[in-house]
Structure formats: structure tokens, C-alpha cells
Amino acid sequence: EEEAVPLSVAPGPVGCQLFGYVGIEAVLDQMKIKTMKTGFEFNIMVVGQSGLGKSTMVNTLFKSKVSRKSSQPGQEERIPKTVQLQSITHVIEEKGVKMKLTVTDTPGFGDQINNENCWDPIIKYINEQYERYLREEILITRKRKIPDTRVHGCVYFVPPTGHWLRPLDLEFMRRLSKIVNVVPVIAKADTLTLEERAEFKQRIQEDLKTHAISVYPQEDFDQDPEDRALNDRIREKIPFAVVGADQEHQVNGKRVLGRKTKWGIIEVENPAHCEFPLLRDLLIRSHLQDLKDITHNVHYESYRVRRLNESNRPG
């Protein structure tokens, strides 16, 4: 009886030596040209009580009037009895790159005496966007590019009490961090001294750890040691203590975005004054694509699996 000869596959070289220029890195140029032609989508949600500077912060982030309030000037601001979600979409262009930006505001969140289940409309909205994408994706004849309205990042504004996280903050982040990338920030951080700010930040970090709340960037999704090292440095500083301002002031002959006080000007883009630059870098300059990837590969994927399991269940 003949013995079966095992098939052997020659292992491919890990680092193959090239004998001349091939031009592989031109793929990056192709991707850049394609992105510049088609543009890309980014959807951000801001959550927090009234008066914490959500609209100002969004305007500061994108250096333009993109918030709900600036799009509807002159309207009297009334506190809604329930959370009402309002989305505004703009196309922003910088150096030939177009970004379709959707900002979703949550007026009424945390403003009532009884805030029980005030996160329900937000959870419903996030899941509705996943459902909309899923319905497009499972069509037999589907669009080449499915419109993406899924929330890529949720910036949660913690009031600058200087004490600890309220049950409302903890419950919101506990529920929402399972379905969306939550980035907590300490709002209006210029109301705290540097010592109060450092203590408050430490207490928040301890609270998040105690309640096993995984905010963005999540440790579980670090791809390699380099990512882990970068994200560890970010995690040490979260929640960012931020100050928003959409007015320019003259400082040493330069025009800077800042808040004028009788003690001087708080420059929002100066790391010595506040951590706004860290938030901007995280959301736009370093992790924007990662926010989109985790939304698609983790949060949307778990929603898709759950929905398809439900529809395949007999009866």
C-alpha cells in the first residue's frame, strides 16, 4: 500500500528582496487621488447638557460655522421636554480634499429633573443608522457606494464639577460605549484650576475602570505594539479638558482662537492652556480613519450579526 505523500508548500519569503524599482508606493498616490475626487464622510455626535459649549466646540474643531445653532441663528433656544436629535450636514473642503461632515446634536439631554432613560432616543438613532446601512448592503442590486450615515464618534461632554462622574454620565457611557466610539471630554475646563482639573481627570479615569467602561480608543482594538504605545499615551490623558472658542483675538501680533477674560486670553490651540489640540488631533488628524474602521468592523458588525441572527430565527 502506497503511503500518501504530504504536499509541501514552499514558504513565501517574509521580506522579499527587490532587484529594482517596482513602484508599489504609487498605490498611495492612487488612493489619495481617488479620495480627493470622491471625498469622504465623517459623522460626529455631541452629547451633554445645555450650556456646556457643544456647538462652540464643533465650530472650533472644524474652524467653521457647522453647528446646529450657527445654522439656525436667531431662533429662541428652549429646553426640549425630551431629547430631540438634530443633524446638520455640510461639505467642508481643504486643499482639494472634500469631507461631507454630519453633526448630530442632542438638545434636551440631561436637562430635565427626571433624566431616566434619556439615552434611549440616542441609542435608537445610532441603531437606525446601522439599520439603514444594513438594508442597503443586503440588497441584491446595491449601490457601488452605500451612503454612510453611521455615527463614527460620539463626544460626551462631562460638566466641570471637579468632583466625580454623575450616575447619568456613567450610565450613558456604559450603554453607549457598546455601540459607538465614545470620547469623553471635560467641558469648559477653564472653570477649574489646574490642580482641580488633574484630580477630576484622575477620578474619572478611576470611575471608568471601576465600572468597566471602555471609551475610545479601546485597548481591545489596538492592532500592534506601535498602536498600543500611541493609544496608551492618549488613554492617560482622557478625558481631555477642553475649552471651545469661535472668536479670534490678537496675541503678540498673531490672530488666535480664544476666550477673553479679565486675566488674559485663553488660547484654545495652545497645549499649555487646554487640551483642545489633543481632541482635534484624535478626531481629525490621527484617528479619523480608525474611528470609521472601528465603527464598520466592530460596532456595525456586531449589530449586523445580531439582526441577521434575529431574522434567521424560526417562528
Side-chain angles (χ1 to χ4, degrees):
E1 199 176 307
E2 284 184 28
E3 279 187 32
V5 180
L7 289 169
S8 62
V9 179
V14 178
C16 184
Q17 185 66 43
L18 302 177
F19 300 112
Y21 177 71
V22 178
I24 297 166
E25 95 272 8
V27 173
L28 295 172
D29 295 330
Q30 293 170 41
M31 289 164 77
K32 185 180 175 184
I33 290 162
K34 195 169 184 183
T35 305
M36 286 178 83
K37 277 182 187 170
T38 58
F40 63 97
E41 293 146 319
F42 186 55
N43 309 316
I44 191 170
M45 178 185 270
V46 286
V47 182
Q49 281 175 274
S50 297
L52 290 180
K54 299 187 297 294
S55 300
T56 307
M57 179 56 62
V58 172
N59 290 344
T60 314
L61 270 172
F62 298 100
K63 291 194 177 176
S64 51
K65 305 279 183 187
V66 291
S67 74
R68 170 183 59 92
K69 280 183 187 170
S70 49
S71 304
Q72 303 164 343
Q75 282 200 0
E76 194 183 333
E77 187 69 19
R78 287 196 186 93
I79 295 173
K81 289 192 175 149
T82 55
V83 181
Q84 295 171 3
L85 280 85
Q86 297 170 344
S87 293
I88 291 235
T89 301
H90 301 269
V91 175
I92 300 175
E93 190 171 343
E94 185 180 48
K95 293 186 179 177
V97 181
K98 287 192 186 83
M99 176 165 82
K100 187 182 177 188
L101 171 72
T102 301
V103 179
T104 304
D105 198 356
T106 53
F109 178 84
D111 290 337
Q112 307 306 317
I113 293 167
N114 179 9
N115 288 304
E116 196 179 350
N117 299 332
C118 63
W119 44 77
D120 282 353
I122 297 169
I123 292 171
K124 184 171 176 263
Y125 175 85
I126 290 167
N127 284 331
E128 275 171 2
Q129 308 321 305
Y130 291 148
E131 182 67 27
R132 187 181 288 186
Y133 195 91
L134 178 63
R135 285 181 185 278
E136 288 285 346
E137 198 179 43
I138 59 176
L139 289 173
I140 294 168
T141 309
R142 59 186 184 181
K143 295 168 185 166
R144 278 181 68 185
K145 190 174 187 295
I146 298 170
D148 190 2
T149 58
R150 298 169 297 180
V151 178
H152 301 125
C154 171
V155 182
Y156 185 72
F157 287 68
V158 177
T161 60
H163 297 296
W164 44 76
L165 287 175
R166 304 164 303 167
L168 172 66
D169 304 324
L170 285 166
E171 194 58 29
F172 176 87
M173 286 194 270
R174 188 181 71 78
R175 287 170 184 260
L176 269 287
S177 60
K178 291 170 185 168
I179 61 166
V180 72
N181 297 314
V182 176
V183 180
V185 298
I186 299 167
K188 297 199 167 180
D190 52 329
T191 60
L192 300 169
T193 67
L194 293 176
E195 291 79 10
E196 286 171 338
R197 190 191 293 185
E199 279 175 31
F200 190 31
K201 188 178 281 211
Q202 199 176 342
R203 283 194 193 124
I204 291 172
Q205 288 173 351
E206 284 165 9
D207 276 351
L208 293 174
K209 206 174 244 180
T210 305
H211 293 85
I213 296 166
S214 183
V215 294
Y216 183 84
Q218 303 93 328
E219 270 185 73
D220 297 351
F221 309 143
D222 290 342
Q223 297 284 322
D224 53 51
E226 243 177 65
D227 284 352
R228 177 153 292 228
L230 169 65
N231 289 342
D232 278 344
R233 288 197 297 275
I234 293 166
R235 282 187 279 264
E236 279 169 21
K237 294 192 167 79
I238 274 181
F240 299 130
V242 297
V243 177
D246 42 18
Q247 289 190 342
E248 286 189 332
H249 300 279
Q250 202 84 18
V251 177
N252 300 329
K254 287 182 183 175
R255 295 196 69 76
V256 296
L257 277 171
R259 281 171 55 78
K260 196 172 186 181
T261 70
K262 61 181 179 182
W263 299 281
I265 290 166
I266 298 157
E267 299 168 40
V268 297
E269 290 181 302
N270 185 340
H273 291 197
C274 80
E275 293 176 333
F276 168 78
L278 298 177
L279 175 67
R280 182 202 49 214
D281 289 356
L282 180 76
L283 291 179
I284 302 167
R285 296 186 183 179
S286 64
H287 284 65
L288 188 147
Q289 191 54 50
D290 189 57
L291 284 160
K292 293 183 71 170
D293 290 344
I294 288 176
T295 299
H296 183 73
N297 299 325
V298 179
H299 298 306
Y300 168 69
E301 192 61 22
S302 62
Y303 178 85
R304 189 185 71 86
V305 168
R306 191 172 74 246
R307 284 287 289 114
L308 295 180
N309 278 335
E310 280 170 13
S311 58
N312 290 335
R313 210 171 284 153

